[in-house]
Amino acid sequence: MSAAFEFQRSAVEGAHGAIESGVQVQKQFGDAMVGSFDPARDATERSTDFARTSVDNYFDAVDAVLPAGSGVDEVHEMMHEQLDMLEESQYDVIDQLEDSLDEGTESTEEMLDEFLGALDEQVTSLLEAHEDVEGQTLEALEGLEDSIEEMQAEVEARGEEMQEQLQEQAETIQEQLEDVTENVQEAASETAELSA
């Protein structure tokens, strides 16, 4: 019986461990997602640098062909400003996404921690209740064994008593039969004497 209870406890503890592992994997995934914005920043910076280089090369080529004072420098500067604004807005979007994901990850982790805390309490209560049930069951079984042993002893004692009573009754009947047989024989002898 103890082995069955131990198996049940092991099953509960194994399920608890599996759930905890799953929660830890979810938390690690959330942390990995928060850390995944650095490559996006690097890509934004590389693409903006590439665009700047392309714009610079273009305007250098145009500037070489056009006469001085044609206004190309102002357009060139304006293009750099627009690229700066584009890069800044891309960084802002990435920062906002990261902040949102970070807040979501934090609240998710808090919720998961609360869930694990509640789960730990429930599993502890369940295992304590399980131990109580095991103790009560084993105690009841021991009591049942004791009762069975007492009943067996009582049946054996009564069996012996009954056997003694039966033996006494058999002896009494035997004596009575002997008396009856003796009386019949005496009566038969007397009848035979009277007849003769």
Side-chain angles (χ1 to χ4, degrees), residues 1-49:
M1 204 61 169
S2 293
F5 280 103
E6 185 60 37
F7 175 77
Q8 289 172 344
R9 263 196 300 278
S10 296
V12 168
E13 288 168 352
H16 180 234
I19 291 170
E20 279 189 330
S21 297
V23 168
Q24 292 304 325
V25 167
Q26 282 183 304
K27 288 168 82 173
Q28 289 169 356
F29 177 75
D31 292 341
M33 287 298 293
V34 170
S36 69
F37 286 95
D38 288 337
R41 282 191 188 86
D42 292 343
T44 297
E45 187 176 343
R46 280 195 306 274
S47 68
T48 306
D49 287 346

Side-chain angles (χ1 to χ4, degrees), residues 120-156:
D120 287 343
E121 288 176 16
Q122 289 175 353
V123 167
T124 300
S125 298
L126 176 65
L127 291 175
E128 287 172 1
H130 190 266
E131 285 177 14
D132 290 345
V133 168
E134 179 183 13
Q136 292 170 3
T137 302
L138 293 177
E139 194 176 309
L141 284 175
E142 286 172 10
L144 182 62
E145 284 178 8
D146 292 344
S147 296
I148 289 172
E149 287 173 8
E150 287 173 15
M151 284 173 54
Q152 230 172 356
E154 193 174 324
V155 166
E156 286 173 9

Side-chain angles (χ1 to χ4, degrees), residues 151-175:
M151 284 173 54
Q152 230 172 356
E154 193 174 324
V155 166
E156 286 173 9
R158 283 191 180 174
E160 288 174 10
E161 281 178 27
M162 286 175 66
Q163 191 173 1
E164 286 173 12
Q165 287 175 356
L166 286 172
Q167 195 168 355
E168 286 174 11
Q169 288 175 355
E171 287 173 5
T172 303
I173 290 171
Q174 181 70 29
E175 287 172 8

Side-chain angles (χ1 to χ4, degrees), residues 176-189:
Q176 289 173 350
L177 278 173
E178 287 174 2
D179 289 345
V180 167
T181 305
E182 212 175 286
N183 288 338
V184 167
Q185 285 176 348
E186 284 177 11
S189 293

